[in-house]
């Protein structure tokens, strides 16, 4: 069957994010199919894309992301699936009595890998075990936030450079025992030193401007005193994280969720105590620079 004949992309209502894609089987569609190009375009246009009705094993999930771009292998191996390093496992469900992946990931506003020199273009999520109460992801459209910025906040970010660091979000591992916090922090700093990105980025494909700041990883605006920096970032984060900017997607079985990290920040919703949750993630690099003008 030709995938483009059945592919359906339901665009979101005006001013909303998230397109619903149906009528495609990611295991059979070909890399160079027009359907794959349409999904790529939908990620740029609608920021968030939910491909419904997928039934993928681990190998098929990795292959599906290969059709869309270049899968990331996350730099910290404790997140890796034991057989598929591309799969980042967020789970509190032991397998054969063994801990797999990392529990309680991403419960703060962030965009994946903004603390790296070349941040991750897209993120995909393929949930495995659903907690009894719904689990989902919250999103904020940062192009929209940029458009809505009041003048005094716009002045803070116009031509500003922000510093991003992942240090304080590091998840302690069993192998860290007997190390001091200072030793751990120094090691992380060496592995992933803080990086600089423009506070406002231009999307390389759509040309949209978006605010590129997140309270999870953005630690400073360059060139300010400590007090002034704290004050400005607090004001900016309070504005960004206003309830009217937040969009929630609740996961359903068979959803393959994809989003553009250039335009959205996100946060996982919490898992209630005693409930099991397991989700797979694969980061995907598209073939574009992260933002217009980034040095390679
Ligand atoms: Fe994330």
């Amino acid at each position: 069957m030709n995938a483009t004949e059945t592919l359906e992309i339901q665009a979101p209502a005006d001013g909303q994010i998230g397109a619903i894609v149906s009528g495609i089987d990611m295991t059979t569609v070909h890399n160079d199919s027009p359907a794959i190009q349409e999904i790529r375009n939908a990620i740029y246009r609608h920021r968030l894309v939910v491909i419904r009705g997928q039934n993928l094993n681990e190998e098929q999930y990795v292959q599906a992301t290969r059709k869309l771009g270049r899968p990331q292998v996350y730099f910290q191996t404790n997140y890796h699936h034991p057989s598929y390093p591309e799969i980042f496992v967020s789970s509190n469900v032991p397998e054969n009595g063994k801990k797999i992946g990392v529990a309680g990931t991403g419960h703060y506003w962030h965009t994946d890998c903004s603390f790296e020199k070349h941040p991750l273009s897209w993120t995909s999520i393929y949930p495995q075990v659903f907690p009894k109460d719904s689990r989902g992801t919250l999103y904020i459209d940062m192009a929209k936030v940029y458009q809505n910025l009041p003048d005094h906040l716009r002045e803070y970010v116009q031509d500003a450079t922000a510093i991003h660091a992942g240090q304080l979000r590091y998840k302690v591992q069993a192998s860290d025992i007997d190390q001091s916090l200072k030793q751990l922090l120094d090691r992380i700093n060496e592995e992933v030193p803080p990086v600089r990105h423009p506070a406002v980025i231009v999307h390389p494909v759509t040309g949209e401007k978006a605010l590129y700041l997140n309270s999870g990883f953005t630690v400073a605006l360059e060139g300010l005193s400590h007090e002034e920096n704290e004050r400005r970032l607090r004001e900016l984060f309070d504005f960004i994280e206003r309830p009217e900017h937040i969009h929630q997607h609740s996961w359903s079985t068979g959803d393959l969720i994809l989003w553009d990290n250039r335009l959205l920040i996100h946060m996982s919703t919490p898992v209630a105590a005693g409930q099991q949750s397991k989700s797979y993630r694969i980061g995907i690099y598209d073939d574009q620079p992260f933002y217009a003008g980034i040095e390679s």
Side-chain angles (χ1 to χ4, degrees):
M1 182 171 35
N2 183 338
T4 49
E5 283 169 13
T6 55
L7 183 80
E8 220 177 278
I9 300 183
Q10 192 188 324
D14 266 2
Q16 298 297 306
I17 57 167
I20 305 296
V21 174
S22 52
I24 187 167
D25 178 347
M26 289 301 291
T27 64
T28 54
V29 66
H30 288 287
N31 297 16
D32 52 2
S33 149
I36 290 291
Q37 196 49 48
E38 282 192 47
I39 292 171
R40 284 200 194 104
N41 294 342
I43 297 170
Y44 293 132
R45 193 175 318 126
H46 304 299
R47 290 89 161 101
L48 172 70
V49 163
V50 182
I51 307 178
R52 297 263 202 236
Q54 302 306 299
N55 183 14
L56 309 171
N57 61 26
E58 284 81 357
E59 174 70 32
Q60 289 166 329
Y61 179 31
V62 176
Q63 291 309 329
T65 58
R66 252 186 239 295
K67 294 176 185 180
L68 292 160
R70 179 166 55 88
Q72 177 195 44
V73 175
Y74 195 66
F75 72 103
Q76 288 181 288
T77 54
N78 55 319
Y79 288 86
H80 292 185
H81 184 285
S83 312
Y84 297 90
E86 297 90 345
I87 301 181
F88 172 113
V89 183
S90 175
S91 172
N92 64 8
V93 185
E95 270 162 53
N96 305 319
K98 261 189 75 186
K99 175 177 168 58
I100 301 285
V102 176
T105 59
H107 184 49
Y108 50 86
W109 285 111
H110 67 286
T111 176
D112 290 333
C113 305
S114 79
F115 52 81
E116 292 187 357
K117 193 168 171 223
H118 293 279
L120 179 64
S121 327
W122 299 339
T123 296
S124 72
I125 285 196
Y126 189 53
Q128 303 291 304
V129 175
F130 291 79
K132 270 207 264 64
D133 301 337
S134 85
R135 174 135 201 229
T137 309
L138 306 175
Y139 298 93
I140 292 176
D141 181 342
M142 297 297 279
K144 196 165 154 191
V145 168
Y146 177 71
Q147 283 170 14
N148 293 344
L149 273 182
D151 287 348
H152 74 287
L153 294 184
R154 191 172 294 263
E155 260 174 49
Y156 290 174
V157 297
Q158 218 68 271
D159 306 319
T161 298
I163 299 167
H164 299 249
Q167 210 188 34
L168 294 181
R169 303 292 177 178
Y170 175 77
K171 295 278 202 169
V172 173
Q173 311 175 39
S175 57
D176 294 329
I177 198 152
D178 291 340
Q179 297 212 41
S180 71
L181 286 178
K182 168 96 174 74
Q183 284 172 309
L184 288 181
L185 291 172
D186 285 349
R187 196 191 74 212
I188 301 158
N189 225 8
E190 211 166 284
E191 267 176 25
V192 230
V195 294
R196 305 157 80 244
H197 295 297
V200 180
I201 59 170
V202 177
H203 195 287
V205 176
T206 68
E208 291 165 287
K209 280 187 166 181
L211 193 58
Y212 191 64
L213 300 174
N214 61 83
S215 55
F217 299 136
T218 310
V219 293
L221 294 168
E222 207 169 54
L224 301 179
S225 68
H226 176 76
E227 292 72 19
E228 187 60 11
N229 184 59
E230 293 287 294
R231 191 178 67 77
R232 290 192 186 191
L233 282 183
R234 194 62 269 154
E235 272 186 74
L236 284 160
F237 295 145
D238 284 348
F239 181 78
I240 292 167
E241 294 164 14
R242 282 185 178 183
E244 66 263 31
H245 290 149
I246 299 173
H247 167 93
Q248 172 155 10
H249 174 76
S250 295
W251 302 339
S252 305
T253 306
D255 282 357
L256 174 60
I257 302 144
L258 294 141
W259 68 82
D260 190 340
N261 281 308
R262 302 171 174 101
L263 297 174
L264 296 181
I265 59 171
H266 64 278
M267 167 160 92
S268 60
T269 57
V271 178
Q275 296 195 4
Q276 293 201 318
S277 173
K278 178 181 170 189
S279 180
Y280 287 162
R281 155 183 142 180
I282 301 180
I284 304 172
Y285 294 99
D286 61 6
D287 53 0
Q288 299 291 329
F290 192 78
Y291 46 81
I294 192 173
E295 7 164 325
S296 48

